[in-house]
Amino acid sequence: MAYDPGTSVADVLAGRVPVGATVTLRGWVRTRRDSKAGLSFIHLHDGSCFDPIQVVAPAALPNYEGELRHLTSGAAIVATGTLVQSQGKGQSVELQASGVEVVGPIADPEAYPIQPKPHSYEFLREVAHLRPRTNTFGAVTRVRNTLAQAVHRYFHERGFCWIHTPIITASDAEGAGAMFRVSTLDLANLPRRPDGHIDFAQDFFGKEAFLTVSGQLNVETYCLALSKVYTFGPTFRAENSNTTRHLAEFWMIEPEIAFADLAADADLAEDFLKSLFKAVLDERGDDMRFFEDRVEKGVIARLEKFATSAFTRLDYAEAVRILEKADRKFEFPVSFGTDLQTEHERYLTEVHCQGPVVVMNYPKEIKAFYMRQNDDGRTVAAMDVLAPGIGEIIGGSQREERLSVLEARMDELGLAREAYGWYLDLRRYGTVPHAGFGLGFERCVAYVTGMANIRDVIPFPRTPGNAAF
RNA sequence: UCCGGCAUAGCUCAGUCGGUAGAGCAAGCGGCUGUUAACCGCUCGGUCGCAGGUUCGAGUCCUGCUGCCGGAGCCA
């Protein structure tokens, strides 16, 4: 039998239910106001859209005195009635209730943490199981969902294949950051080899295993068979990072395209980001108006500008020249060969270009081994997409597809070729120029919503010292 | 990890020169009103983060610890 999704508040407020119709709405109480005219106004939300619907509960209802007049924020109710034009201001339609069932009352109203008032984000992180009931977190959640759907839609429509790269990796070839160990060994009684080292041969996988820090190396294998691929899944970094833009567990999107160079990679990044932001502007106008009013003035205009104007593209060397000529003192001096600091990225995006910037062709010394060496011998075909207010949102590169060049670079860096056997095979058998990038999904959500802290755009943030819930 | 800041009622905060605790909101009761961040009155609500120290006396000054927040580094 077909699933009946029922009627949502969004259906009603969007006009998909005619005035005069009888509807049943299910959700949670946001506020209740009483009128001695013999009725109560209950704002009901069900998460389907930003606005709640006003339910008018007449005092004549049998459970009015006993239950409805005592409803407080957070109680779960089922309201049935007639959809009518509102007699009051502030909403066009409302539900004239013929019955309101209290499904889940609030056990102790004084103890219920979510009050109809502004809360600090710090406090709401301590009640992360209840914060999705607030305006802000409802809006963030819907925007996050719209972005996720838009990611898959963008790639699907362009013939990309979604590759499910592993979460657990026993490959010691990642090198993108500190990793979380995965083990079933008894920590209190570790098996030892004769030389005293831990005997990982007795561990679950017969060798050391970790949570992935990136699906890139794995997804390259499918790229060199299916041409256009991407990953979208959780990744893990055990870095002791305590900032507003780092999480120990976050979601990353990593497309990889074959027969493509760095310029194509940058085109993809720009086109992709723009399509995501357009989707949010098209689908979540209600939530974006809230972010505009209460979170960050100007977010909507910023997104619109982002979605319609070309990204500035700069060579790293050119970026360095701009910074050297900048009419401003930096804490960290810039010169060719140094990595760009946060203050430099901010100057480029917020002052010099006043918009997103793609910085390309970095010195090879500050970039990963797999990035393709340019003909100048000192730079690699790497790019970062920098966004005003958030910094690096995308990092990508053309990959080194030439076996001898890749092996030489690995030797230079002291990386053991045996550990990368399957990765090097890709360069032995049918190698092609290919490129890709990684987009931190939460950074994207934070940028779109204007939320200042990445811990507030993921349901249950994991950071050093904190894995509650 | 480094630097800085903060910790007082369920929440957001005030608390002067060191003299034993305050407001708004929430919650409860009442009043008023087609209300909408409602309004008015009353009530309930505190081991001032923890442990020491100085002092006749510490929310206030000092030391240590813990937690949180911001910035930096690492990166997405």
Side-chain angles (χ1 to χ4, degrees), chain A residues 149-199:
Chain A
Q149 299 289 351
V151 166
H152 288 304
R153 192 165 62 243
Y154 179 90
F155 288 129
H156 183 65
E157 286 173 353
R158 285 157 186 80
F160 283 66
C161 218
W162 181 19
I163 307 300
H164 305 117
T165 50
I167 304 294
I168 297 173
T169 174
S171 161
D172 53 359
E174 310 245 354
M179 301 171 86
F180 290 101
R181 181 180 297 285
V182 175
S183 174
T184 54
L185 292 179
D186 179 2
L187 286 179
N189 187 22
L190 291 168
R192 301 277 178 182
R193 297 188 314 214
D195 64 4
H197 290 101
I198 296 166
D199 185 8

Short mmCIF file of all heavy atoms in Angstrom, two decimals, chain A residues 149-199:
data_model
loop_
_atom_site.label_atom_id
_atom_site.label_comp_id
_atom_site.label_asym_id
_atom_site.label_seq_id
_atom_site.Cartn_x
_atom_site.Cartn_y
_atom_site.Cartn_z
N GLN A 149 20.76 17.59 -1.52
CA GLN A 149 20.01 17.13 -2.69
C GLN A 149 20.55 17.76 -3.96
O GLN A 149 20.64 17.11 -5.00
CB GLN A 149 18.52 17.47 -2.52
CG GLN A 149 17.85 16.84 -1.32
CD GLN A 149 17.64 15.34 -1.45
OE1 GLN A 149 17.85 14.77 -2.52
NE2 GLN A 149 17.26 14.70 -0.36
N ALA A 150 20.93 19.04 -3.86
CA ALA A 150 21.44 19.75 -5.04
C ALA A 150 22.79 19.19 -5.49
O ALA A 150 23.10 19.19 -6.68
CB ALA A 150 21.56 21.25 -4.73
N VAL A 151 23.57 18.71 -4.54
CA VAL A 151 24.86 18.09 -4.89
C VAL A 151 24.62 16.87 -5.77
O VAL A 151 25.18 16.74 -6.87
CB VAL A 151 25.62 17.66 -3.60
CG1 VAL A 151 26.77 16.71 -3.95
CG2 VAL A 151 26.13 18.88 -2.85
N HIS A 152 23.75 16.00 -5.31
CA HIS A 152 23.50 14.78 -6.08
C HIS A 152 22.82 15.09 -7.42
O HIS A 152 23.14 14.48 -8.43
CB HIS A 152 22.63 13.82 -5.26
CG HIS A 152 23.37 13.19 -4.11
ND1 HIS A 152 24.53 12.47 -4.29
CD2 HIS A 152 23.14 13.20 -2.78
CE1 HIS A 152 24.97 12.04 -3.11
NE2 HIS A 152 24.14 12.47 -2.17
N ARG A 153 21.91 16.06 -7.39
CA ARG A 153 21.21 16.40 -8.62
C ARG A 153 22.19 16.95 -9.67
O ARG A 153 22.16 16.57 -10.83
CB ARG A 153 20.11 17.42 -8.33
CG ARG A 153 19.15 17.62 -9.48
CD ARG A 153 17.88 18.34 -9.03
NE ARG A 153 18.14 19.68 -8.53
CZ ARG A 153 17.90 20.08 -7.29
NH1 ARG A 153 17.38 19.26 -6.40
NH2 ARG A 153 18.17 21.32 -6.92
N TYR A 154 23.09 17.85 -9.22
CA TYR A 154 24.06 18.44 -10.15
C TYR A 154 24.88 17.34 -10.83
O TYR A 154 25.02 17.32 -12.06
CB TYR A 154 24.99 19.40 -9.40
CG TYR A 154 26.04 20.02 -10.29
CD1 TYR A 154 25.80 21.22 -10.96
CD2 TYR A 154 27.28 19.39 -10.50
CE1 TYR A 154 26.76 21.78 -11.79
CE2 TYR A 154 28.23 19.95 -11.32
CZ TYR A 154 27.98 21.14 -11.97
OH TYR A 154 28.91 21.69 -12.81
N PHE A 155 25.41 16.44 -10.04
CA PHE A 155 26.28 15.41 -10.62
C PHE A 155 25.49 14.41 -11.45
O PHE A 155 25.91 14.00 -12.53
CB PHE A 155 27.05 14.69 -9.51
CG PHE A 155 28.14 15.55 -8.90
CD1 PHE A 155 28.24 15.70 -7.52
CD2 PHE A 155 29.06 16.21 -9.70
CE1 PHE A 155 29.23 16.49 -6.95
CE2 PHE A 155 30.06 17.00 -9.14
CZ PHE A 155 30.15 17.13 -7.77
N HIS A 156 24.33 14.04 -10.93
CA HIS A 156 23.52 13.05 -11.65
C HIS A 156 23.14 13.58 -13.04
O HIS A 156 23.22 12.85 -14.05
CB HIS A 156 22.26 12.74 -10.84
CG HIS A 156 21.41 11.68 -11.46
ND1 HIS A 156 21.82 10.37 -11.59
CD2 HIS A 156 20.15 11.73 -11.99
CE1 HIS A 156 20.86 9.66 -12.18
NE2 HIS A 156 19.84 10.47 -12.43
N GLU A 157 22.75 14.84 -13.11
CA GLU A 157 22.33 15.42 -14.38
C GLU A 157 23.49 15.53 -15.38
O GLU A 157 23.27 15.70 -16.58
CB GLU A 157 21.71 16.82 -14.15
CG GLU A 157 20.32 16.74 -13.51
CD GLU A 157 19.79 18.13 -13.13
OE1 GLU A 157 20.56 19.11 -13.24
OE2 GLU A 157 18.62 18.20 -12.71
N ARG A 158 24.72 15.49 -14.88
CA ARG A 158 25.88 15.61 -15.76
C ARG A 158 26.62 14.28 -15.95
O ARG A 158 27.76 14.25 -16.40
CB ARG A 158 26.82 16.69 -15.22
CG ARG A 158 26.26 18.09 -15.48
CD ARG A 158 26.82 19.12 -14.53
NE ARG A 158 26.16 20.41 -14.72
CZ ARG A 158 24.96 20.72 -14.23
NH1 ARG A 158 24.29 19.85 -13.50
NH2 ARG A 158 24.42 21.90 -14.47
N GLY A 159 25.97 13.20 -15.57
CA GLY A 159 26.52 11.89 -15.85
C GLY A 159 27.61 11.42 -14.90
O GLY A 159 28.38 10.51 -15.24
N PHE A 160 27.71 12.04 -13.73
CA PHE A 160 28.67 11.58 -12.72
C PHE A 160 28.12 10.37 -11.98
O PHE A 160 26.91 10.24 -11.80
CB PHE A 160 28.96 12.68 -11.68
CG PHE A 160 29.88 13.76 -12.17
CD1 PHE A 160 29.52 14.63 -13.19
CD2 PHE A 160 31.12 13.94 -11.56
CE1 PHE A 160 30.37 15.64 -13.61
CE2 PHE A 160 31.98 14.95 -11.98
CZ PHE A 160 31.61 15.81 -13.01
N CYS A 161 29.02 9.51 -11.55
CA CYS A 161 28.63 8.34 -10.77
C CYS A 161 29.04 8.56 -9.32
O CYS A 161 30.19 8.93 -9.04
CB CYS A 161 29.33 7.11 -11.34
SG CYS A 161 28.32 5.65 -11.33
N TRP A 162 28.12 8.36 -8.41
CA TRP A 162 28.41 8.51 -6.97
C TRP A 162 29.12 7.25 -6.49
O TRP A 162 28.57 6.16 -6.58
CB TRP A 162 27.09 8.72 -6.22
CG TRP A 162 27.22 8.91 -4.74
CD1 TRP A 162 28.31 9.26 -4.03
CD2 TRP A 162 26.17 8.74 -3.79
NE1 TRP A 162 28.03 9.34 -2.69
CE2 TRP A 162 26.70 9.03 -2.51
CE3 TRP A 162 24.81 8.39 -3.88
CZ2 TRP A 162 25.94 8.96 -1.34
CZ3 TRP A 162 24.06 8.32 -2.73
CH2 TRP A 162 24.62 8.62 -1.47
N ILE A 163 30.33 7.42 -6.03
CA ILE A 163 31.14 6.28 -5.60
C ILE A 163 31.18 6.24 -4.07
O ILE A 163 31.50 7.24 -3.43
CB ILE A 163 32.58 6.37 -6.15
CG1 ILE A 163 32.55 6.57 -7.67
CG2 ILE A 163 33.38 5.13 -5.76
CD1 ILE A 163 31.87 5.47 -8.44
N HIS A 164 30.88 5.08 -3.51
CA HIS A 164 30.89 4.95 -2.05
C HIS A 164 32.25 4.45 -1.59
O HIS A 164 32.47 3.26 -1.43
CB HIS A 164 29.77 4.00 -1.60
CG HIS A 164 28.43 4.43 -2.12
ND1 HIS A 164 27.68 3.68 -2.97
CD2 HIS A 164 27.74 5.58 -1.94
CE1 HIS A 164 26.56 4.33 -3.27
NE2 HIS A 164 26.58 5.49 -2.66
N THR A 165 33.14 5.39 -1.41
CA THR A 165 34.50 5.03 -0.97
C THR A 165 34.46 4.63 0.50
O THR A 165 33.55 5.02 1.24
CB THR A 165 35.45 6.22 -1.18
OG1 THR A 165 34.85 7.39 -0.61
CG2 THR A 165 35.68 6.47 -2.65
N PRO A 166 35.43 3.83 0.93
CA PRO A 166 35.35 3.26 2.27
C PRO A 166 35.55 4.29 3.39
O PRO A 166 36.27 5.25 3.23
CB PRO A 166 36.48 2.23 2.29
CG PRO A 166 37.43 2.71 1.25
CD PRO A 166 36.60 3.36 0.19
N ILE A 167 34.87 4.02 4.49
CA ILE A 167 35.02 4.83 5.70
C ILE A 167 36.25 4.35 6.47
O ILE A 167 36.99 5.14 7.03
CB ILE A 167 33.77 4.70 6.59
CG1 ILE A 167 32.51 5.07 5.83
CG2 ILE A 167 33.93 5.52 7.87
CD1 ILE A 167 32.42 6.49 5.42
N ILE A 168 36.40 3.04 6.51
CA ILE A 168 37.57 2.46 7.19
C ILE A 168 38.64 2.20 6.15
O ILE A 168 38.35 1.65 5.08
CB ILE A 168 37.19 1.14 7.88
CG1 ILE A 168 36.14 1.39 8.97
CG2 ILE A 168 38.44 0.47 8.47
CD1 ILE A 168 35.59 0.11 9.58
N THR A 169 39.84 2.61 6.44
CA THR A 169 40.92 2.37 5.51
C THR A 169 42.12 1.76 6.22
O THR A 169 42.50 2.21 7.29
CB THR A 169 41.32 3.67 4.79
OG1 THR A 169 42.48 3.42 4.00
CG2 THR A 169 41.63 4.77 5.78
N ALA A 170 42.67 0.73 5.60
CA ALA A 170 43.87 0.13 6.14
C ALA A 170 45.08 0.59 5.33
O ALA A 170 46.19 0.15 5.55
CB ALA A 170 43.77 -1.39 6.13
N SER A 171 44.80 1.48 4.38
CA SER A 171 45.88 2.02 3.59
C SER A 171 46.60 3.10 4.39
O SER A 171 45.96 3.99 4.96
CB SER A 171 45.30 2.63 2.31
OG SER A 171 46.21 3.53 1.74
N ASP A 172 47.89 3.03 4.47
CA ASP A 172 48.63 4.03 5.24
C ASP A 172 49.13 5.13 4.31
O ASP A 172 50.13 5.75 4.53
CB ASP A 172 49.78 3.40 6.02
CG ASP A 172 50.69 2.58 5.14
OD1 ASP A 172 50.41 2.49 3.93
OD2 ASP A 172 51.67 2.01 5.65
N ALA A 173 48.36 5.36 3.26
CA ALA A 173 48.85 6.26 2.21
C ALA A 173 48.11 7.59 2.19
O ALA A 173 48.17 8.31 1.22
CB ALA A 173 48.70 5.58 0.85
N GLU A 174 47.39 7.89 3.21
CA GLU A 174 46.52 9.05 3.09
C GLU A 174 47.26 10.37 3.32
O GLU A 174 47.29 11.23 2.47
CB GLU A 174 45.35 8.90 4.07
CG GLU A 174 44.67 7.54 3.94
CD GLU A 174 43.25 7.63 3.44
OE1 GLU A 174 42.76 8.74 3.30
OE2 GLU A 174 42.63 6.58 3.20
N GLY A 175 47.80 10.53 4.49
CA GLY A 175 48.67 11.67 4.71
C GLY A 175 48.02 13.03 4.72
O GLY A 175 48.68 14.05 4.66
N ALA A 176 46.68 13.09 4.77
CA ALA A 176 46.01 14.39 4.73
C ALA A 176 45.76 14.94 6.12
O ALA A 176 45.15 15.98 6.27
CB ALA A 176 44.69 14.28 3.96
N GLY A 177 46.22 14.25 7.14
CA GLY A 177 46.00 14.74 8.48
C GLY A 177 46.01 13.61 9.48
O GLY A 177 46.06 12.44 9.11
N ALA A 178 45.97 13.94 10.77
CA ALA A 178 45.98 12.93 11.81
C ALA A 178 44.71 12.07 11.71
O ALA A 178 43.64 12.56 11.37
CB ALA A 178 46.05 13.60 13.18
N MET A 179 44.87 10.78 11.97
CA MET A 179 43.76 9.85 11.75
C MET A 179 43.30 9.19 13.05
O MET A 179 44.08 9.01 13.99
CB MET A 179 44.20 8.77 10.76
CG MET A 179 44.62 9.33 9.41
SD MET A 179 45.38 8.09 8.34
CE MET A 179 43.95 7.39 7.57
N PHE A 180 42.02 8.81 13.08
CA PHE A 180 41.47 8.04 14.19
C PHE A 180 41.74 6.56 13.95
O PHE A 180 41.42 6.04 12.87
CB PHE A 180 39.97 8.25 14.30
CG PHE A 180 39.57 9.62 14.78
CD1 PHE A 180 39.13 10.57 13.88
CD2 PHE A 180 39.65 9.94 16.13
CE1 PHE A 180 38.75 11.83 14.32
CE2 PHE A 180 39.27 11.20 16.58
CZ PHE A 180 38.83 12.16 15.67
N ARG A 181 42.27 5.89 14.94
CA ARG A 181 42.54 4.47 14.79
C ARG A 181 41.26 3.65 14.94
O ARG A 181 40.41 3.96 15.77
CB ARG A 181 43.56 4.03 15.86
CG ARG A 181 43.94 2.57 15.78
CD ARG A 181 44.94 2.20 16.85
NE ARG A 181 46.21 2.91 16.72
CZ ARG A 181 47.14 2.63 15.81
NH1 ARG A 181 46.94 1.66 14.94
NH2 ARG A 181 48.27 3.32 15.76
N VAL A 182 41.13 2.62 14.11
CA VAL A 182 40.04 1.66 14.24
C VAL A 182 40.66 0.34 14.65
O VAL A 182 41.53 -0.18 13.95
CB VAL A 182 39.28 1.48 12.90
CG1 VAL A 182 38.23 0.40 13.03
CG2 VAL A 182 38.65 2.80 12.48
N SER A 183 40.25 -0.19 15.79
CA SER A 183 40.88 -1.41 16.28
C SER A 183 39.93 -2.18 17.19
O SER A 183 39.08 -1.59 17.85
CB SER A 183 42.15 -1.07 17.07
OG SER A 183 42.69 -2.22 17.66
N THR A 184 40.06 -3.50 17.19
CA THR A 184 39.30 -4.31 18.14
C THR A 184 40.24 -4.91 19.18
O THR A 184 39.82 -5.75 19.97
CB THR A 184 38.55 -5.44 17.41
OG1 THR A 184 39.49 -6.18 16.63
CG2 THR A 184 37.46 -4.88 16.51
N LEU A 185 41.49 -4.49 19.14
CA LEU A 185 42.44 -5.02 20.14
C LEU A 185 42.04 -4.54 21.53
O LEU A 185 41.45 -3.47 21.70
CB LEU A 185 43.86 -4.53 19.83
CG LEU A 185 44.52 -5.10 18.56
CD1 LEU A 185 45.90 -4.50 18.39
CD2 LEU A 185 44.57 -6.62 18.60
N ASP A 186 42.35 -5.34 22.52
CA ASP A 186 42.07 -5.00 23.91
C ASP A 186 43.14 -4.00 24.39
O ASP A 186 44.30 -4.35 24.57
CB ASP A 186 42.10 -6.27 24.77
CG ASP A 186 41.83 -5.96 26.23
OD1 ASP A 186 41.58 -4.78 26.56
OD2 ASP A 186 41.86 -6.90 27.03
N LEU A 187 42.73 -2.77 24.56
CA LEU A 187 43.70 -1.72 24.91
C LEU A 187 44.41 -2.01 26.23
O LEU A 187 45.54 -1.57 26.45
CB LEU A 187 42.97 -0.37 25.01
CG LEU A 187 42.54 0.28 23.70
CD1 LEU A 187 41.83 1.59 23.96
CD2 LEU A 187 43.74 0.50 22.78
N ALA A 188 43.72 -2.74 27.10
CA ALA A 188 44.33 -3.03 28.41
C ALA A 188 45.30 -4.20 28.33
O ALA A 188 46.00 -4.49 29.29
CB ALA A 188 43.23 -3.32 29.43
N ASN A 189 45.30 -4.89 27.19
CA ASN A 189 46.13 -6.08 27.08
C ASN A 189 46.56 -6.26 25.63
O ASN A 189 46.13 -7.18 24.94
CB ASN A 189 45.33 -7.31 27.59
CG ASN A 189 46.21 -8.53 27.65
OD1 ASN A 189 47.44 -8.44 27.72
ND2 ASN A 189 45.58 -9.69 27.60
N LEU A 190 47.42 -5.36 25.16
CA LEU A 190 47.78 -5.35 23.75
C LEU A 190 48.75 -6.48 23.41
O LEU A 190 49.71 -6.72 24.14
CB LEU A 190 48.42 -4.00 23.41
CG LEU A 190 47.47 -2.81 23.44
CD1 LEU A 190 48.26 -1.50 23.37
CD2 LEU A 190 46.49 -2.88 22.29
N PRO A 191 48.49 -7.17 22.29
CA PRO A 191 49.44 -8.21 21.86
C PRO A 191 50.73 -7.57 21.37
O PRO A 191 50.70 -6.55 20.69
CB PRO A 191 48.69 -8.91 20.72
CG PRO A 191 47.74 -7.90 20.20
CD PRO A 191 47.35 -7.04 21.37
N ARG A 192 51.85 -8.16 21.73
CA ARG A 192 53.15 -7.58 21.36
C ARG A 192 53.93 -8.56 20.51
O ARG A 192 53.86 -9.77 20.69
CB ARG A 192 53.97 -7.28 22.62
CG ARG A 192 53.31 -6.31 23.59
CD ARG A 192 53.53 -4.89 23.17
NE ARG A 192 52.84 -3.96 24.07
CZ ARG A 192 52.83 -2.64 23.92
NH1 ARG A 192 53.48 -2.09 22.91
NH2 ARG A 192 52.18 -1.88 24.75
N ARG A 193 54.72 -7.98 19.59
CA ARG A 193 55.67 -8.80 18.84
C ARG A 193 56.93 -8.93 19.68
O ARG A 193 57.08 -8.21 20.68
CB ARG A 193 56.00 -8.13 17.50
CG ARG A 193 54.79 -8.00 16.57
CD ARG A 193 55.21 -7.52 15.20
NE ARG A 193 56.13 -6.38 15.27
CZ ARG A 193 56.18 -5.39 14.38
NH1 ARG A 193 55.35 -5.38 13.36
NH2 ARG A 193 57.06 -4.43 14.50
N PRO A 194 57.82 -9.83 19.29
CA PRO A 194 59.05 -10.02 20.07
C PRO A 194 59.82 -8.71 20.27
O PRO A 194 60.44 -8.50 21.31
CB PRO A 194 59.86 -11.00 19.22
CG PRO A 194 58.83 -11.76 18.46
CD PRO A 194 57.71 -10.80 18.19
N ASP A 195 59.75 -7.79 19.28
CA ASP A 195 60.51 -6.54 19.41
C ASP A 195 59.79 -5.51 20.28
O ASP A 195 60.27 -4.38 20.43
CB ASP A 195 60.80 -5.95 18.03
CG ASP A 195 59.53 -5.55 17.29
OD1 ASP A 195 58.43 -5.66 17.88
OD2 ASP A 195 59.63 -5.13 16.13
N GLY A 196 58.62 -5.89 20.82
CA GLY A 196 57.92 -4.99 21.73
C GLY A 196 56.84 -4.15 21.07
O GLY A 196 56.00 -3.58 21.76
N HIS A 197 56.84 -4.07 19.75
CA HIS A 197 55.81 -3.30 19.08
C HIS A 197 54.47 -4.02 19.11
O HIS A 197 54.42 -5.25 19.22
CB HIS A 197 56.22 -3.02 17.62
CG HIS A 197 57.36 -2.05 17.50
ND1 HIS A 197 58.65 -2.44 17.25
CD2 HIS A 197 57.39 -0.71 17.62
CE1 HIS A 197 59.43 -1.38 17.21
NE2 HIS A 197 58.69 -0.31 17.44
N ILE A 198 53.41 -3.25 19.00
CA ILE A 198 52.07 -3.85 19.01
C ILE A 198 51.91 -4.73 17.78
O ILE A 198 52.31 -4.36 16.67
CB ILE A 198 51.00 -2.75 19.03
CG1 ILE A 198 51.10 -1.95 20.33
CG2 ILE A 198 49.60 -3.33 18.88
CD1 ILE A 198 50.32 -0.65 20.31
N ASP A 199 51.34 -5.91 17.97
CA ASP A 199 51.18 -6.87 16.88
C ASP A 199 49.84 -6.67 16.19
O ASP A 199 48.84 -7.30 16.55
CB ASP A 199 51.30 -8.30 17.42
CG ASP A 199 51.25 -9.31 16.29
OD1 ASP A 199 51.28 -8.89 15.10
OD2 ASP A 199 51.17 -10.50 16.59
#
